[in-house]
Amino acid sequence: MPKNRNTFSSLTTWRRRVLAGAVHRGRRWVQELGAVTAETPGPLRFRRIGAGTRLAFPQGTVFGEAWIELGDHCIIAEQVTLTAGMMPDLDLGPDPILTLGNGVVLGRGSHVIADTTVTIGSDTYCGPYVYITSTNHSYDDPHQPVGKQWPRAEPVQIGPGCWLGTGAVILPGARLGRNVVVAAGAVVRGEVPDHAVVAGAPAKVVRRWDADSGWQPPLRTPAPVPIPEGVTPEVLRALAEPATDES
């Protein structure tokens, strides 16, 4: 009897392993097939989608594509929302509303809500669940529900080379300079100068860089060691592989 029970258990394990493998292969196939690129846009008709840009599947809410421009080699992760206009099927005029420069990365679950113009500069990287919006609720009338009051919209501009940490919120009217670092969970409004680090809610500048004095306050972490000249991708891949014990 124990032998039969062991045999049944082995068959069940084998079937589960085969089924799990099929599920994972099917998921990868669906993800590949559902990704949006310039060559395979699916139902989405962006004003522009650059070469090498890819929206991972499943996509979040996307509408107003005719007023959305995506640069070259952008990475848009799963469940990212991209919207132009307050609702679908509006005529927003001749100019783009939402513009992503080349090489922009939007992490999983991020939202970019452009009821008026939002511009994200080239090579800006966003961690997961970043929220960028040009619109905010107004609450001027204390006798009306906030959700029923007409919202306010102001353009948002994010300069090139920025890094926005996980859960950062960029509010209407924000203007970030070049190479700005936004700490995780920070809530940014107003103007942020080039080469600044901001943190907190509301976000404040906690570190600045200039050509004369460098970073102030000074950085506490050692500078990264550059990759030596002549090191090829093949060498880096070999270094990343776990060592094998040949003894």
Side-chain angles (χ1 to χ4, degrees):
M1 192 68 176
K3 183 177 180 181
N4 292 339
R5 191 180 302 120
N6 292 338
T7 301
F8 177 77
S9 177
S10 299
L11 285 172
T12 301
T13 301
W14 177 80
R15 287 170 181 163
R16 287 178 61 87
R17 187 179 298 120
V18 170
L19 182 59
V23 168
H24 288 296
R25 286 191 298 273
R27 182 174 184 269
R28 286 194 294 269
W29 179 80
V30 169
Q31 286 178 314
E32 185 65 29
L33 200 64
V36 169
T37 66
E39 295 76 24
T40 57
L44 302 177
R45 295 295 180 265
F46 290 101
R47 183 186 184 98
R48 178 177 183 269
I49 179 167
T53 288
R54 181 184 179 92
L55 285 74
F57 181 85
Q59 291 88 39
T61 301
V62 179
F63 63 76
E65 309 98 279
W67 291 271
I68 299 176
E69 290 190 352
L70 308 177
D72 299 340
H73 304 291
C74 295
I75 299 174
I76 315 297
E78 294 180 14
Q79 298 290 358
V80 168
T81 290
L82 299 172
T83 65
M86 297 187 73
M87 60 188 69
D89 302 322
L90 296 178
D91 185 348
L92 304 177
D95 300 320
I97 300 296
L98 172 56
T99 304
L100 272 59
N102 297 334
V104 170
V105 175
L106 297 177
R108 178 187 178 93
S110 293
H111 287 61
V112 185
I113 310 299
D115 293 342
T116 187
T117 55
V118 172
T119 304
I120 302 178
S122 296
D123 300 313
T124 285
Y125 289 12
C126 299
Y129 307 107
V130 168
Y131 193 90
I132 301 168
T133 181
S134 65
T135 302
N136 208 348
H137 294 287
S138 58
Y139 50 89
D140 303 59
D141 187 344
H143 305 295
Q144 286 289 331
V146 173
K148 292 184 177 181
Q149 298 186 47
W150 193 254
R152 290 187 174 90
E154 293 183 76
V156 171
Q157 184 168 356
I158 299 173
C162 294
W163 163 248
L164 280 59
T166 300
V169 177
I170 311 300
L171 292 176
R175 298 177 304 280
L176 280 63
R178 175 184 297 272
N179 284 29
V180 168
V181 175
V182 178
V187 180
V188 182
R189 60 182 301 174
E191 188 162 356
V192 179
D194 294 348
H195 309 295
V197 180
V198 296
K204 300 183 184 304
V205 175
V206 296
R207 182 170 275 122
R208 292 278 310 267
W209 180 91
D210 65 56
D212 296 327
S213 55
W215 285 105
Q216 296 297 327
L219 298 174
R220 295 191 297 269
T221 53
V225 178
I227 297 174
E229 293 186 8
V231 174
T232 64
E234 289 74 18
V235 172
L236 292 176
R237 281 195 292 269
L239 291 173
E241 294 175 357
T244 57
D245 187 1
E246 299 180 353
S247 58

